[in-house]
Amino acid sequence: MELKQLKRQGPGLFAVLLMPWLLSSHLSPSSPSQRECERTAFSFYCAVRERLPVWLLEDMRSMEVFCWEDRAPRPFLPSEALLYALVHDHQDYAQYLLDRYSTSALRAQRCSFCSRHSSGAPHLNVAVRYDRVSILAMMVDALKDAQGERRVYLDSCGGCSHVADAGKTAVQLAVELSRPDCLLLLLVHGATPTGLDAALERLVSCEASQRRHAQRCLDFLLLFLPKPTPLQHLREEPQRWQSLLGKEVFNWLCGLAPPPLLLQALRCLARSGPDRICTLPDFLQLHS
């Protein structure tokens, strides 16, 4: 969405997270110093959008660009720069930030709307919402050395309670938006396969053009689901769900039979490690 459209609509909470200069221009008058920070922040946003060279962006971030916080200017953090790189799919800049700053580039920054320090994993949710599969792969790869924190981070919800996608993990958001490539990356790196009910609902409610993606999301969840809790609503409409899922998968999800042999074989293969994705059948591989 273009900046002019965002300004006409007012400071949407998701926009404020990424473009904090929108906040003061709508809610309160600003000092000359604060306006200068907003100007440099907007310049930096535009520079990332234009995908300028990494060295130039880093020079801007470290020496020329400032945020206004606690009535004083401060430099842009690597985590804030990574959000801009995600939105504009600047893969070279994202790779540099993750190589140079590792997991510190994934820390949740202070919320521009409520001034509280955010928690969770907003970068994962932004990557899923914008379908940035390549940068998402870089981020989960950067987490490989943080073994104790990786699972917690992957299963964290995104940001403060008032921002977009609050209360949702990246896996839940990937299911909701039918982002199968993002979902598979998250699952093979250890994210909890939640959202089975949402995946089933998405499959029956989505438009025909989205059905293939919704089906792939469901397939990926089934590959990593340890043992499904019997779903009563499936038994209430058996003919409908059998036609969508197939008899064997339907019986397994209802707790009436073990998982199909093909599904068991694919589950073992998929869980053996991220490097085994390339050995999966074509319909299960990344297609971005």
Side-chain angles (χ1 to χ4, degrees):
M1 183 177 292
E2 293 296 328
L3 180 63
K4 290 181 180 179
Q5 293 175 293
L6 287 169
K7 285 187 174 180
R8 284 199 298 266
Q9 295 177 7
L13 293 176
F14 193 74
V16 168
L17 173 67
L18 299 174
M19 292 172 276
W21 64 84
L22 292 179
L23 187 63
S24 63
S25 62
H26 281 272
L27 300 183
S28 63
S30 55
S31 68
S33 296
Q34 184 174 357
R35 288 196 297 270
E36 178 63 16
C37 286
E38 293 167 359
R39 185 193 67 77
T40 63
F42 180 58
S43 298
F44 184 55
Y45 175 87
C46 293
V48 178
R49 183 183 62 189
E50 298 300 320
R51 301 184 187 177
L52 297 184
V54 171
W55 67 268
L56 179 57
L57 293 174
E58 273 300 275
D59 280 353
M60 291 181 66
R61 186 188 68 79
S62 59
M63 295 186 293
E64 301 176 18
V65 177
F66 297 94
C67 286
W68 186 259
E69 185 174 282
D70 294 331
R71 300 183 179 182
R74 66 159 176 81
F76 256 68
L77 299 174
S79 59
E80 294 166 328
L82 182 58
L83 281 175
Y84 286 6
L86 274 166
V87 171
H88 298 299
D89 201 23
H90 196 324
Q91 296 179 23
D92 290 341
Y93 193 30
Q95 187 68 72
Y96 170 85
L97 292 167
L98 291 165
D99 288 344
R100 174 70 176 81
Y101 300 101
S102 187
T103 55
S104 64
L106 297 173
R107 291 175 185 165
Q109 71 272 23
R110 190 168 183 174
C111 177
S112 300
F113 186 78
C114 66
S115 298
R116 296 177 182 175
H117 285 282
S118 302
S119 59
H123 295 84
L124 292 182
N125 284 25
V126 172
V128 171
R129 176 159 290 281
Y130 284 86
D131 205 17
R132 305 304 192 209
V133 181
S134 296
I135 301 180
L136 179 61
M138 299 174 196
M139 291 194 294
V140 295
D141 187 60
L143 291 167
K144 65 184 179 183
D145 296 327
Q147 293 296 331
E149 303 175 9
R150 181 175 65 176
R151 183 68 174 269
V152 174
Y153 187 82
L154 290 173
D155 290 340
S156 296
C157 298
C160 293
S161 59
H162 53 261
V163 302
D165 308 329
K168 299 174 184 176
T169 67
V171 166
Q172 291 171 325
L173 189 61
V175 170
E176 179 184 308
L177 299 177
S178 295
R179 302 277 196 260
D181 293 351
C182 292
L183 179 61
L184 180 57
L185 271 173
L186 293 165
L187 293 176
V188 298
H189 283 85
T192 302
T194 57
L196 180 59
D197 277 331
L200 291 169
E201 179 60 33
R202 176 70 175 162
L203 184 62
V204 299
S205 62
C206 68
E207 299 178 0
S209 60
Q210 288 290 314
R211 190 155 296 136
R212 178 175 176 272
H213 294 311
Q215 180 67 61
R216 291 184 72 215
C217 285
L218 176 61
D219 291 341
F220 293 148
L221 281 180
L222 296 180
L223 286 179
F224 291 87
L225 202 63
K227 184 178 180 181
T229 303
L231 302 175
Q232 183 61 35
H233 66 274
L234 298 185
R235 297 191 183 191
E236 294 173 357
E237 299 180 276
Q239 293 183 343
R240 177 194 188 193
W241 289 109
Q242 281 191 49
S243 65
L244 285 170
L245 301 173
K247 185 176 181 180
E248 291 181 323
V249 173
F250 171 81
N251 287 338
W252 174 53
L253 292 178
C254 290
L256 303 174
L261 289 177
L262 176 59
L263 181 60
Q264 291 187 58
L266 290 173
R267 279 154 66 90
C268 291
L269 188 61
R271 294 176 182 181
S272 61
D275 58 325
R276 302 301 300 276
I277 295 177
C278 61
T279 66
L280 290 172
D282 181 68
F283 75 96
L284 289 175
Q285 290 190 31
L286 298 175
H287 286 81
S288 289

